[in-house]
Amino acid sequence: MDFLRPATWDEALAAKAELPGALPVQGGTDVMVEINFAARRPEALLDLTRIGALADWDTVDGRLRVGAGVTYARLIAELGGRLPGLAQASRTVGSPQIRNRGTVGGNLGAASPAGDGHPPLLAGDAVVEAESAARGVRMIPAAEFFTGVKRNALAPDELIRAFWTAPASGPQYFAKIGTRNAMVIAVCSFAIALHPAERRVGTGLGSAAPTPRRAPEAEEFIAAELDWDGRGPLSEPARRRFGELVAAASAPIDDVRGTGAYRAHALAVLARRTLAWAWNDHRKEARRCA
């Protein structure tokens, strides 16, 4: 197995074009586990850690552009206030050592249905910036990025350069079920983002289908039910119906971590809870600004 270590982004794109089977490595927290357990044997590893530009983030026209090499630890410390849902998810990833190495860009590349970063990106309408030497930059909405179990929409010669998302315009929450609170793969997970100015709600489901996915019917239902003008209380029937629609959007399986029935039930519970937390935060902010 060859080991490629480009010093610049252009060199990385050229290497990927010449050897499409090369597997990109950023933090290596997923890749090295698969190699150590002989679950994967790529023809080459493409180490991207020398490319400093991938570890940068910036604000462009009011949107955040976060490089594929920004670690979970830095995202929590530097962007937690602007991307609270993604920061919450990042805090649940592995151990401090993993959070110091692992990246959301690497999480996207792995495309695991259980990836903790995926639901907040879906709820926040994130877009993945991919690039190839031959065709240049392509922007892929997160909702279209995941194509199957550990499969994504990248072409063989493309690399993830960054993801784009707007700073939170309202409350965001992430919650997951696991056998413990840390260093565990999610049995299921859920993210919610309120977009008050647009009177819209975003959702993201994890570890509950072949790919991370949204719950469009649940989003449309609860957006119509919420009292965006009066910031009134959240009715219990609406909260329960929202949970039911979230569970209905899933397609969970039975495995060693949980049954499909348990996952669907847990998703409904997580959806109800996070919706209540988010709406209570929204009401408090509305009263403070009144």
Side-chain angles (χ1 to χ4, degrees):
M1 179 167 48
D2 292 332
F3 184 78
L4 311 175
R5 201 166 188 231
T8 68
W9 180 245
D10 286 342
E11 288 179 8
L13 291 178
K16 186 62 170 167
E18 183 178 346
L19 200 63
L23 182 63
V25 177
Q26 189 55 252
T29 56
D30 285 327
V31 169
M32 296 313 298
V33 171
E34 292 184 338
I35 291 175
N36 287 339
F37 283 90
R40 180 182 290 197
R41 192 69 180 175
E43 58 182 304
L45 291 177
L46 180 60
D47 179 15
L48 303 176
T49 56
R50 292 178 66 193
I51 304 172
L54 293 181
D56 293 337
W57 64 267
D58 200 358
T59 302
V60 182
D61 296 330
R63 298 174 70 209
L64 289 167
R65 180 184 182 274
V66 183
V70 175
T71 64
Y72 293 112
R74 285 188 56 213
L75 194 148
I76 294 166
E78 300 171 26
L79 292 169
R82 286 180 257 194
L83 299 175
L86 188 55
Q88 291 167 19
S90 298
R91 291 188 185 98
T92 74
V93 175
S95 62
Q97 295 92 331
I98 295 295
R99 293 192 290 276
N100 282 329
R101 289 290 299 176
T103 67
V104 175
N107 205 211
L108 283 165
S112 168
D116 291 322
H118 305 330
L121 292 176
L122 289 166
D125 303 308
V127 176
V128 179
E129 178 184 335
E131 188 171 354
S132 71
R135 296 177 306 284
V137 173
R138 182 164 67 107
M139 306 299 283
I140 311 170
E144 301 171 12
F145 184 76
F146 307 103
T147 59
V149 178
K150 296 189 175 183
R151 298 201 309 272
N152 59 48
L154 292 176
D157 62 343
E158 283 183 316
L159 294 171
I160 298 171
R161 186 164 190 173
F163 70 86
W164 293 69
T165 188
S169 59
Q172 298 181 351
Y173 277 95
F174 170 85
K176 79 177 184 182
I177 298 289
T179 52
R180 55 184 179 178
N181 290 331
M183 297 181 69
V184 65
I185 299 174
V187 175
C188 65
S189 61
F190 181 75
I192 189 168
L194 301 189
H195 305 279
E198 304 167 57
R199 302 190 175 206
R200 188 171 59 81
V201 176
T203 61
L205 286 65
S207 202
T211 65
R213 60 172 60 173
R214 296 180 69 157
E217 289 188 25
E219 294 173 3
E220 293 174 10
F221 166 79
I222 201 62
E225 289 289 318
L226 294 176
D227 179 15
W228 296 102
D229 289 325
R231 284 91 170 182
L234 176 64
S235 74
E236 183 60 22
R239 195 166 71 102
R240 290 198 168 274
R241 182 57 181 157
F242 177 70
E244 292 170 358
L245 290 171
V246 166
S250 67
I253 61 170
D254 298 342
D255 65 14
V256 295
R257 287 180 285 122
T259 66
Y262 175 73
R263 284 185 162 96
H265 169 75
L267 274 174
V269 174
L270 294 180
R272 294 197 304 266
R273 288 179 180 173
T274 54
L275 173 62
W277 298 338
W279 189 246
N280 286 339
D281 285 357
H282 177 62
R283 293 182 69 201
K284 289 177 185 175
E285 180 64 16
R287 287 197 295 270
R288 188 186 69 81
C289 295

